[in-house]
Amino acid sequence: MLRMLKERLEAGASAEEEVSALFSKINKSRLNAYNVLSEEAALERAREYDRSPWGGLLAGVPIAIKSSISTKGIETNCSSRILTGYIPPYDATVIERLKEEGAIIIGKTNMDEFAMGTSTETSCFGPTKNPWDADRVPGGSSGGSAAAVAAGEAPCALGSDTGGSIRCPASFCGIVGLKPTYGLVSRYGLVSYANSLEQIGPLTLSVEDAALVLDVIAGHDPRDSTSARSEGGYFARIEGGVDGLTLGVPQEYFGEGVDPLVEKAVWDAISKLEGLGASWKKVSLPHTRYALAAYYIIAMSEASSNLARFDGLRYGLRLGADQDWHTTFSDIRAAGFGPEVKRRILLGTYALSAGYYGRYYLKALKVRTLIKQDFERALSAGGADLLVTPTMPFPAFRIGERIEDPLSLYMADVFTVPINLAGVPAISVPCGFADGLPIGLQIIGRHFDEAAVLRAAKAYEGATPYHEAVPKEVV
Amino acid sequence: MAEKDVIIGLEVHVQLNKLNSKLFCGCSTDYHDSPPNTHTCPVCLGLPGTLPVVNKRAVEYAIRVALALNCAIQGETLFYRKNYYYPDLPKAFQITQYDFPLGLGGSILIKGEDGEERRIRITRVHMEEDPGRLVHAGTIDRAKYSMVDYNRCGMALLEVVTEPDLRSPKEARSFLDKLRNILEYLDVFDGNLEGAMRIDSNISLVGGERAEVKNISSHKGVEKALAYEITRQRSARRRGVAQVQETRHYDELRGITVTIRTKEEAHDYRYFPEPDLVPMRIADWVPRVEAKLPELPDAKRERFVAEYGIADDHAKSLTSEIRVANFYEVVAERAPPRLAAAWIADVLKGELNYRDVTIERFSPDQMVVILDLIEGGKITEKGAVEVIRTILDGPGETTEADPAAIVATKGLSRVEDDAVMAAVRAAVEESSQAVADYRAGNEKAINFIVGVVMKKTRGRADPGEANRLVREALEGAGRA
Ligand SMILES: [Zn+2]
């Protein structure tokens, strides 16, 4: 769709008309995909484009941005009360790159507060709804970005993925979501939740679109010390199929806890890929069962440190207070953070405190190393080229169904978090439906081998109709 | 006051203030004369989403210092987060080093109380970022509000931690003077800037708990605070009151220390590795930094003794400031080195200290001319001192003043001294009436004789000096 839009614009279509059509859709929508719109600035930018079109990979293309990615002059609130009104004075590196390639930012999408959640229900702006069934969650935490793209309220969007936050909503909303290798995309400007795990990535309607956006945002950034060099050219290398590739099927990702319809759809997908020339074999990722515990300890520990800066002193929520520091800031934090954020700050603080650091945080880091080794072994030369698994163990659940039971929500991330611990790239592509709800296929690759991941995803997409289905919320 | 039961250790925070940019961002470090919050950016303000990037030159400077302090440089070093809340710390954590500091196990030589050389061990040297500054409206405990200035935020700091090897406040001061001396030699530090060095000192009496006196900003302050603490802890012990482990604040105005908090409130900083920075393999940098390491004070002092044949005391005095040492070397190239050493170390430095000015107020050229005049017997030592004082007391930039001209206008040449003496002798001889009157008790009669001297020297004699010489002559004649 992004590519088609680009071709339309190149052929002379009006960017202003495209953008204003989007906004009329957004303004009528009941999905709550956005929490801040940049309508006037976007229309003005589109008019400028129409007056004298500029070049660039995304020239004139509108894009939605997750609310945790800093945009100069546009409120970036992470769906948290404590950051409402915060307008960054600078652009994240990915935003600079999008602008350099001519994209137009249309607004900030709803998310789980500070990216903490699997359903976009912890947003202070209320939950986003799933375009396939408005009673259901879109997944999280980039649920707003996924819903907007699935419902045609944006041709593409950026999300961030800490433990599955791009792939989960992509799976629940029936679109494509790519979590790049850790370090491939600069994190400068991404409001940190768990620094060592999170990556910015695209949510799109097609694999090609994802490759195109990745070409724009990937690459070394001197402002991010963890940023790596990128070989780039993902879009150009997307053809080539899976002929001769070996797919690994990790046995730990099937069986108990997985919806049988999901399992069937994924096996069908594996057969389809086999029909395209790939071979497959069972592999083992033996430390998978420790992944969730390690992930939550690391993520919450880092979060407890990252979120300590929000005190209403310099930006964000203000309460009229004339008390001593500690009372004032305690009051602001009590009012500004939602329950899930508070829970994670407290657990993270506990895990890092003297006497527990070795028992929890250090141990989690050790588990992380083992998990990384699991993936390296399974994806080593002579082993599998790619791994294929379900993205989520089940399709989108109902709003309110799990929010009171945090542990069951944490369990939903069981197939996505190991990828973040290992730092490898993974994509979720639509691979079928269960009772009318989309199912996602996860394809995992070696470090910095996005090209292979995208090639396989593209081959699969080309051989299946699932990405063409239109959700019922879209009129 | 070297007392066997005193145990002192120091933690010195040194600002690497000769860098151009801060430790983790590109902000300028030249903030000292600027309005608050004008040297800041999203990174050092800790705005959401910003990431630190290590200033490589800061790491190089830190390695330079660690090497100069004889530390073992660690092969790999990494940063940690030290989590705590304070309004001048915008991220609510400080990026610092913890388990793997840059340098371990160094030492510095100082002159101990007994005059013997003492080796003070250094536990570790590590890098960290400076927080901002709070400006209180009024005193810290009574302020209605406080303002925050983030200009200092993110400045590169080195923390130098000693073993508890110091035995007296004076030794602590010597240590700090020596440390500052070394840092200035390394060209990484300007000790004259506000906040350049801040010191926490730990002090205890053998068998007692220790008190930590925090955040003292001058070497003299440390010496005074420690002296106060020794007296306080001693008298408490005499009264049977046990010292508890506590943190104290030094009140510079009152010259006393006051307790801030006791051990029970100790912080849990929740250290963990900074995820936004990767570990640095610095072992490979060391040879390059080492090759560029300048000659340090101790080595320079030894070389001065060997090369110029000067006394060790003079060498020590000349090398205690890099600028004085450089000045001396320039002069010693063109004048007798031992004579130069004595005049610079004993006379010039004293006159500079007295006026609280730096050596830049004097030029090597001037010193060479003066030494030349002394050596050639053209002026007396007293006259030479007078020339030095005249130059230093002159207006503004006095390095242009010509010593020979001063000698001429002030009539300081030895030849002219002799001429004045001759005039005095002649005047006394010629003025028999005035001499008689003076001897009879008429004090004022001396003025007549001085007038004759002035006439004979055509006014070139100093009237006061002439007065003194006439008196001397009369006393001498009386006794004869
Ligand atoms: Zn800065």
Side-chain angles (χ1 to χ4, degrees):
Chain A
M1 165 151 182
L2 195 170
R3 229 186 120 207
M4 279 155 53
L5 170 63
K6 227 191 131 211
E7 280 164 11
R8 275 209 306 282
L9 289 168
E10 275 160 9
S14 155
E16 184 184 3
E17 278 171 30
E18 298 283 353
V19 171
S20 69
L22 273 183
F23 277 111
S24 68
K25 214 166 185 179
I26 294 166
N27 290 327
K28 273 187 283 190
S29 169
R30 54 192 199 111
L31 294 177
N32 196 28
Y34 290 85
N35 64 40
V36 170
L37 290 176
S38 181
E39 189 163 356
E40 267 173 38
L43 283 168
E44 178 50 37
R45 197 87 183 108
R47 281 191 288 269
E48 278 170 34
Y49 178 83
D50 287 343
R51 277 197 296 274
S52 84
W54 50 76
L57 287 173
L58 299 175
V61 170
I63 186 165
I65 309 292
K66 187 177 184 176
S67 186
S68 55
I69 298 170
S70 302
T71 41
K72 186 175 179 173
I74 307 175
E75 181 172 327
T76 300
N77 53 44
C78 293
S79 291
S80 179
R81 254 196 95 194
I82 208 159
L83 268 184
T84 45
Y86 168 61
I87 298 173
Y90 76 101
D91 271 330
T93 298
V94 291
I95 301 299
E96 281 181 359
R97 291 188 175 166
L98 288 171
K99 287 180 174 173
E100 274 162 29
E101 292 298 335
I104 297 172
I105 290 152
I106 50 177
K108 308 305 284 284
T109 55
N110 204 20
M111 57 187 277
D112 279 302
E113 183 178 1
F114 283 110
M116 296 175 183
T118 308
S119 61
T120 313
E121 289 168 283
T122 68
S123 164
C124 74
F125 299 98
T128 295
K129 288 157 191 169
N130 191 316
W132 293 87
D133 178 349
D135 291 334
R136 291 179 186 264
V137 303
S141 64
S142 311
S145 285
V149 172
E153 295 175 17
C156 62
L158 288 190
S160 68
D161 190 315
T162 313
S165 292
I166 289 174
R167 290 158 289 153
C168 163
S171 171
F172 281 8
C173 293
I175 61 167
V176 175
L178 172 69
K179 188 215 75 97
T181 306
Y182 186 77
L184 183 69
V185 176
S186 168
R187 289 182 294 114
Y188 186 79
L190 172 64
V191 181
S192 297
Y193 155 32
N195 322 48
S196 74
L197 299 159
E198 60 207 5
Q199 266 293 280
I200 294 173
L203 291 123
T204 55
L205 285 170
S206 75
V207 177
E208 272 189 347
D209 288 355
L212 193 60
V213 176
L214 186 64
D215 273 344
V216 174
I217 61 174
H220 178 69
D221 178 10
R223 286 175 296 194
D224 177 355
S225 309
T226 63
S227 135
R229 307 243 160 239
S230 150
E231 35 180 22
Y234 300 106
F235 183 77
R237 289 185 288 157
I238 202 154
E239 303 295 342
V242 291
D243 196 15
L245 287 187
T246 307
L247 308 176
V249 181
Q251 59 187 48
E252 292 83 2
Y253 283 58
F254 295 82
E256 201 193 337
V258 185
D259 185 320
L261 292 172
V262 169
E263 195 161 328
K264 182 178 181 307
V266 172
W267 278 115
D268 286 350
I270 292 167
S271 304
K272 181 63 85 179
L273 287 162
E274 205 180 3
L276 295 169
S279 59
W280 69 269
K281 64 177 183 186
K282 285 207 170 179
V283 296
S284 176
L285 302 169
H287 297 95
T288 300
R289 62 198 168 111
Y290 306 113
L292 269 181
Y295 167 78
Y296 276 102
I297 284 168
I298 292 169
M300 290 177 188
S301 298
E302 291 179 5
S304 74
S305 171
N306 289 328
L307 271 60
R309 76 186 66 189
F310 300 112
D311 56 19
L313 177 62
R314 288 145 293 151
Y315 46 82
L317 182 67
R318 273 241 112 127
L319 298 175
D322 189 19
Q323 311 160 85
D324 65 75
W325 297 336
H326 290 91
T327 318
T328 304
F329 302 146
S330 297
D331 287 354
I332 288 172
R333 290 165 67 82
F337 287 134
E340 183 59 29
V341 173
K342 285 177 186 160
R343 182 179 300 128
R344 295 194 192 195
I345 290 174
L346 288 173
L347 287 170
T349 303
Y350 178 81
L352 283 180
S353 44
Y356 297 103
Y357 177 78
R359 215 184 295 175
Y360 296 116
Y361 188 79
L362 277 186
K363 194 154 271 178
L365 289 186
K366 283 178 189 156
V367 169
R368 181 177 192 168
T369 304
L370 293 173
I371 286 171
K372 202 179 257 176
Q373 288 166 355
D374 276 0
F375 277 91
E376 277 161 9
R377 211 173 299 120
L379 288 164
S380 62
D385 296 299
L386 297 164
L387 305 178
V388 284
T389 77
T391 306
M392 300 301 291
F394 36 71
F397 45 86
R398 283 178 206 289
I399 292 172
E401 190 181 318
R402 289 172 189 249
I403 194 70
E404 297 306 327
D405 183 5
L407 267 184
S408 90
L409 266 180
Y410 297 171
M411 294 300 287
D413 299 337
V414 63
F415 297 154
T416 50
V417 300
I419 284 85
N420 298 75
L421 288 169
V424 292
I427 199 168
S428 180
V429 291
C431 73
F433 292 90
D435 304 325
L437 297 168
I439 297 169
L441 170 72
Q442 178 170 244
I443 304 172
I444 305 156
R446 296 172 185 149
H447 281 107
F448 298 104
D449 200 3
E450 272 75 4
V453 171
L454 288 162
R455 206 161 60 234
K458 168 78 165 98
Y460 176 76
E461 183 187 73
T464 53
Y466 308 114
H467 63 288
E468 281 164 359
V470 177
K472 74 170 190 229
E473 280 299 316
V474 182
V475 256
Chain B
M1 200 166 65
E3 287 152 300
K4 286 203 180 71
D5 62 339
V6 173
I7 305 170
I8 296 169
L10 300 176
E11 289 167 27
V12 190
H13 294 87
V14 176
Q15 225 180 34
L16 296 177
N17 53 17
K18 283 209 166 179
L19 288 163
N20 294 322
S21 53
K22 294 182 178 181
L23 184 53
F24 296 119
C25 67
C27 283
S28 151
T29 54
D30 188 17
Y31 66 86
H32 285 87
D33 298 319
S34 309
N37 299 307
T38 51
H39 289 247
T40 58
C41 71
V43 175
C44 58
L45 290 175
L47 288 188
T50 55
L51 302 172
V53 176
V54 179
N55 178 342
K56 285 224 170 106
R57 178 172 284 188
V59 180
E60 250 186 74
Y61 279 18
I63 296 173
R64 210 185 280 181
V65 176
L67 284 171
L69 301 183
N70 308 301
C71 289
I73 308 296
Q74 302 306 291
E76 190 174 281
T77 189
L78 66 152
F79 285 100
Y80 277 73
R81 287 187 183 180
K82 178 182 182 179
N83 295 281
Y84 68 95
Y85 185 79
Y86 203 69
D88 66 2
L89 190 67
K91 299 191 295 288
F93 60 80
Q94 182 186 25
I95 304 179
T96 178
Q97 295 194 291
Y98 180 60
D99 265 356
F100 303 91
L102 185 87
L104 284 171
S107 65
I108 284 186
L109 289 177
I110 64 163
K111 194 164 152 187
E113 285 275 1
D114 50 6
E116 291 297 303
E117 204 147 71
R118 298 237 297 117
R119 183 173 293 278
I120 305 302
R121 289 171 301 158
I122 289 164
T123 317
R124 57 187 275 153
V125 173
H126 73 245
M127 281 178 282
E128 63 188 30
E129 57 176 341
D130 214 346
R133 259 160 51 90
L134 287 188
V135 183
H136 303 288
T139 60
I140 184 162
D141 44 341
R142 300 248 171 92
K144 274 204 145 166
Y145 60 91
S146 303
M147 293 170 285
V148 198
D149 177 6
Y150 295 108
N151 275 350
R152 198 176 77 181
C153 208
M155 287 291 287
L157 283 187
L158 270 192
E159 186 170 334
V160 178
V161 183
T162 77
E163 294 286 316
D165 284 352
L166 297 157
R167 291 289 166 268
S168 74
K170 210 170 151 218
E171 283 193 1
R173 174 132 187 217
S174 305
F175 175 86
L176 292 169
D177 288 345
K178 186 66 176 280
L179 177 61
R180 174 174 165 156
N181 185 15
I182 293 172
L183 292 166
E184 290 187 331
Y185 265 64
L186 296 171
D187 201 23
V188 298
F189 176 74
D190 179 353
N192 297 315
L193 292 175
E194 181 271 327
M197 216 189 240
R198 283 141 20 222
I199 303 117
D200 298 343
S201 53
N202 290 295
I203 175 159
S204 61
L205 301 176
V206 168
E209 289 291 336
R210 66 191 166 87
E212 185 178 21
V213 189
K214 292 280 253 189
N215 215 4
I216 313 173
S217 56
S218 74
H219 300 191
K220 202 160 74 182
V222 171
E223 191 178 353
K224 283 186 175 167
L226 289 171
Y228 177 86
E229 265 302 296
I230 292 172
T231 313
R232 191 189 64 79
Q233 290 186 20
R234 258 193 220 302
S235 70
R237 181 172 281 188
R238 265 198 300 276
R239 282 181 283 116
V241 182
Q243 163 70 25
V244 294
Q245 193 171 329
E246 61 177 339
T247 303
R248 299 179 70 86
H249 165 72
Y250 176 59
D251 184 334
E252 196 128 27
L253 284 177
R254 290 191 288 168
I256 61 167
T257 68
V258 289
T259 187
I260 307 175
R261 57 177 179 267
T262 48
K263 193 190 172 190
E264 292 76 58
E265 299 159 65
H267 278 94
D268 178 0
Y269 290 117
R270 290 175 288 120
Y271 284 98
F272 75 106
E274 166 58 86
D276 291 328
L277 293 169
V278 290
M280 288 182 289
R281 294 188 183 285
I282 52 172
D284 318 342
W285 301 19
V286 173
R288 190 158 46 88
V289 179
E290 209 159 25
K292 282 194 291 184
L293 216 56
E295 185 181 38
L296 293 169
D298 290 339
K300 203 180 276 286
R301 173 178 148 199
E302 281 170 26
R303 180 170 64 80
F304 277 15
V305 171
E307 192 173 326
Y308 300 113
I310 63 178
D312 191 57
D313 269 3
H314 280 160
K316 187 163 184 253
S317 164
L318 293 172
T319 53
S320 72
E321 256 181 84
I322 178 90
R323 292 175 298 194
V324 174
N326 291 340
F327 182 94
Y328 170 72
E329 291 218 78
V330 174
V331 174
E333 285 291 306
R334 293 154 54 197
R338 295 171 71 145
L339 187 68
W343 277 89
I344 296 169
D346 298 339
V347 182
L348 181 59
K349 271 189 76 177
E351 297 293 331
L352 294 171
N353 285 344
Y354 175 72
R355 289 167 181 76
D356 199 21
V357 294
T358 61
I359 190 106
E360 280 73 28
R361 285 277 304 218
F362 217 83
S363 80
D365 285 348
Q366 288 168 329
M367 199 67 221
V368 169
V369 172
I370 292 168
L371 293 172
D372 208 39
L373 291 169
I374 296 169
E375 220 210 353
K378 304 272 172 49
I379 49 173
T380 59
E381 296 198 347
K382 225 178 92 223
V385 171
E386 183 65 23
V387 174
I388 291 173
R389 287 180 178 162
T390 307
I391 292 175
L392 290 176
D393 290 337
E397 280 299 308
T398 47
T399 48
E400 298 297 308
D402 176 9
I406 294 171
V407 168
T409 49
K410 289 219 146 187
L412 295 172
S413 88
R414 195 182 281 279
V415 181
E416 290 182 43
D417 273 359
D418 292 349
V420 173
M421 272 314 290
V424 168
R425 273 193 299 273
V428 168
E429 227 151 88
E430 288 167 20
S431 319
S432 49
Q433 183 59 46
V435 170
D437 289 351
Y438 177 76
R439 293 229 163 101
N442 184 356
E443 266 285 321
K444 286 181 180 166
I446 203 160
N447 293 339
F448 175 81
I449 311 171
V450 170
V452 175
V453 173
M454 298 307 287
K455 210 174 282 171
K456 281 184 182 297
T457 59
R458 295 197 197 89
R460 268 185 302 175
D462 178 74
E465 188 71 1
N467 188 299
R468 194 178 60 79
L469 292 170
V470 169
R471 252 175 233 280
E472 263 176 30
L474 291 175
E475 300 294 312
R479 277 199 303 273

